Amino acid sequence: MSTIRELVFDWLFNASVQIGLFAILAAVLSPFISKAKAKYQHCFYLAVFTLCLAAPVFNTLWQTRPSVVARTSPQPLIHGTEHRDHHSWVWNGHSKAFKSIILVPGARTTLLVFWGVLFLYQLIHFSRGIYRVHRLRRDASLISPSETGMAGSGMTGLGIDPPHRVVLLESAAIDDPVTVGVFHPAIILPSKVIPVLDEPDLTAILAHEYGHIRRKDFLVHLLCQLTALPVAWHPGIQYLMSKVSQTRELACDDYAAVRLGKRIVYARTLLRLASLCLHVPRSNAMGLGIFDGDNLEDRIMMLTEKRTSLSRPGLIGLALATSVLFGSSTVLARAVSLQEASASTNTAQMFAGTWHWMFKGQSFSTMILVQNGSGIIGTVTPSRIALDDNGELSRADPSEDSTPTPISKTKLEGNALRVTLGDGDKPFEFLVILKNATHVEIHPIGAPPNMKPIQAERVN
């Protein structure tokens, strides 16, 4: 498996574990976080979401790789390993041409392919959402002159000045008001609702949607959707994305309620708009709608119920507590990501040494393995073997040219070591499987299917 594929697999493993850990911790802290103001709740879930994306990448790139390529190693090879112009093994007797036998389970490749399909699906889904927003804005029209006066009055009442370049549009393709655009934002109203809107309703809509514009929510939403594509399948990411969406709407409700002056009035207007818009949930919507988050009931309760928000000392204490908890979780996540590398280092120590490949009590090949970090380098002397019909060795002799062949690459795979000799079109590969501290089995890759493993003994 190439280095890139190994990195991707390790990142997937780290992401699966660490995102779940952070999401569970966020869910546990959720009742306490809900006592803070909506904008602080939004910042909290956005920070956890960012941590979920960054921690697996950081831990994957930080951990030591278990694969070693011998010729790039700073440790010098054993004398005589520079000769590379001969085959490491010559097959005789009943051996025939067979396709390579992959002895290592293909779970990694299967998972990588499955992840690739999911990523491609999410990428297509995201691209379609971007195109739908582009088409929605392109096909939308300016609100009619008869409504421009009321809209302008609502805009002025909210203090929205012309430099913000907020465009008011209408479209028959949507069921509820949405905000789109980063540099040139637009508020798009559903055409079927405009005729029945009065000035207070329009003012409430503009207040909420302008809150999204002031907070740069569309840009943040776009970046979250884009960066989450590789792990969008993870339940933890889906939970955090929903929390980010819900708290974003709560924050804009707070913004609108302050602009309108009375929270209870805004709550009633929100309920009226919900009945007018006949809201239908939008799948993968890139625009920010007034009813996003699917938490209208919670929003109404937040607006109407008298709740005591955390004081500044309480907020600071909560921030410190969450920082300590997530800091500890990050260290734990780092420890989890290092377990594989640590295990590889310990396993490499067990392989290191000089091994004699045995046939009828006699050595016919010498394999020298030297630990290099968490990997292995070394040499193997060439040999000639022959098999009988049962796959047993019928002959095993050292080759005429006994110059040791350098090991070009090794890869630790559990209690097995995959060894590659040569870098040409047909490299020779075999697995070295530990039986105990002094004995291993050699399984050549590409050998006849019925070949029995070659026994090897440690001599030092």
Side-chain angles (χ1 to χ4, degrees), residues 229-276:
L229 287 178
V231 288
W233 47 268
H234 199 291
I237 288 294
Q238 295 172 10
Y239 168 77
L240 291 173
M241 289 286 285
S242 69
K243 283 295 186 180
V244 168
S245 178
Q246 292 170 9
T247 54
R248 178 181 63 229
E249 296 306 314
L250 290 174
C252 288
D253 284 343
D254 283 348
Y255 177 87
V258 171
R259 284 300 182 100
L260 295 176
K262 294 182 178 180
R263 299 176 69 87
I264 190 67
V265 172
Y266 175 72
R268 290 172 181 169
T269 304
L270 203 60
L271 285 174
R272 170 172 160 75
L273 290 175
S275 63
L276 290 175

Side-chain angles (χ1 to χ4, degrees), residues 3-4 6-8 10-11 14 18 54-65 334 337-338:
T3 301
I4 294 178
E6 292 171 5
L7 280 173
V8 172
D10 291 346
W11 167 78
N14 289 335
Q18 295 168 18
V57 175
F58 177 73
N59 288 335
T60 299
L61 295 179
W62 191 7
Q63 70 184 20
T64 306
R65 304 299 310 151
R334 169 65 183 154
S337 67
L338 282 176

Side-chain angles (χ1 to χ4, degrees), residues 157-171:
L158 294 173
I160 303 177
D161 300 323
H164 290 97
R165 298 178 182 177
V166 178
V167 180
L168 288 179
L169 305 172
E170 62 174 312
S171 173

Side-chain angles (χ1 to χ4, degrees), residues 209-438:
E209 299 301 328
Y210 187 60
H212 286 306
I213 296 173
R214 288 292 299 269
R215 290 164 39 86
K216 307 294 183 184
D217 280 338
F218 183 82
L219 176 61
V220 174
H221 176 65
L222 202 63
L223 291 176
C224 287
Q225 292 283 348
L226 181 61
T227 55
L229 287 178
V231 288
W233 47 268
H234 199 291
I237 288 294
Q238 295 172 10
Y239 168 77
L240 291 173
M241 289 286 285
S242 69
K243 283 295 186 180
V244 168
S245 178
Q246 292 170 9
T247 54
R248 178 181 63 229
E249 296 306 314
L250 290 174
C252 288
D253 284 343
D254 283 348
Y255 177 87
V258 171
R259 284 300 182 100
L260 295 176
K262 294 182 178 180
R263 299 176 69 87
I264 190 67
V265 172
Y266 175 72
R268 290 172 181 169
T269 304
L270 203 60
L271 285 174
R272 170 172 160 75
L273 290 175
S275 63
L276 290 175
C277 293
L278 299 176
H279 171 64
V280 177
R282 297 173 293 129
S283 59
N284 193 40
M286 290 294 115
L288 301 180
I290 195 170
F291 297 117
D292 282 357
D294 295 327
N295 61 334
L296 180 60
E297 182 179 352
D298 292 338
R299 292 166 62 182
I300 297 298
M301 292 177 63
M302 287 286 290
L303 290 167
T304 57
E305 290 184 355
K306 292 183 179 181
R307 296 190 177 188
T308 303
S309 298
L310 288 176
S311 62
R312 183 178 295 273
L315 188 61
I316 295 175
L318 180 61
L320 291 175
T322 54
S323 299
V324 170
L325 286 175
F326 276 97
S328 303
S329 299
T330 303
V331 173
L332 176 61
R334 169 65 183 154
V336 171
S337 67
L338 282 176
Q339 285 181 356
E340 182 179 357
S342 299
S344 298
T345 302
N346 295 333
T347 306
Q349 295 174 351
M350 300 179 67
F351 280 106
T354 301
W355 301 84
H356 283 175
W357 297 15
M358 307 301 293
F359 174 64
K360 295 184 177 180
Q362 299 293 324
S363 171
F364 65 92
S365 180
T366 300
M367 176 176 65
I368 300 177
L369 302 178
V370 180
Q371 184 178 359
N372 182 23
S374 61
I376 293 288
I377 60 175
T379 61
V380 180
T381 58
S383 59
R384 302 172 62 91
I385 70 170
L387 304 179
D388 58 23
D389 293 334
N390 297 323
E392 299 280 359
L393 288 178
S394 61
R395 175 186 170 188
D397 302 309
S399 179
E400 289 83 357
D401 185 356
S402 60
T403 304
T405 301
I407 295 174
S408 58
K409 185 178 181 181
T410 61
K411 175 67 171 70
L412 288 168
E413 300 172 342
N415 68 333
L417 177 70
R418 178 183 286 264
V419 178
T420 303
L421 304 179
D423 295 322
D425 296 333
K426 296 181 179 180
F428 177 66
E429 291 185 298
F430 57 90
L431 290 178
V432 182
I433 299 179
L434 281 171
K435 295 179 62 179
N436 52 50
T438 57

Side-chain angles (χ1 to χ4, degrees), residues 33-155:
I33 300 299
S34 63
K35 298 182 181 299
K37 291 184 178 180
K39 62 180 180 180
Y40 297 132
Q41 296 181 41
H42 182 70
C43 290
F44 169 78
Y45 289 112
L46 202 57
V48 177
F49 173 81
T50 304
L51 181 63
C52 286
L53 298 181
V57 175
F58 177 73
N59 288 335
T60 299
L61 295 179
W62 191 7
Q63 70 184 20
T64 306
R65 304 299 310 151
S67 296
V68 174
V69 179
R71 62 177 180 278
T72 62
S73 171
Q75 182 171 340
L77 293 178
I78 300 167
H79 179 71
T81 62
E82 64 277 5
H83 183 71
R84 308 167 73 96
D85 299 328
H86 61 276
H87 295 289
S88 302
W89 203 319
V90 180
W91 293 100
N92 277 326
H94 295 277
S95 60
K96 300 178 181 179
F98 283 86
K99 294 182 179 180
S100 296
I101 304 171
I102 306 301
L103 300 179
V104 179
R108 289 192 174 190
T109 301
T110 302
L111 289 175
L112 287 176
V113 170
F114 184 65
W115 170 79
V117 172
L118 286 178
F119 176 72
L120 182 61
Y121 170 78
Q122 293 293 340
L123 182 61
I124 294 174
H125 210 45
F126 175 80
S127 302
R128 290 182 60 189
I130 294 294
Y131 174 72
R132 284 198 295 268
V133 168
H134 170 73
R135 187 176 61 182
L136 174 64
R137 178 159 185 169
R138 181 194 63 191
D139 297 341
S141 56
L142 290 170
I143 61 175
S144 62
S146 61
E147 291 139 359
T148 302
M150 185 173 62
S153 176
M155 298 274 279

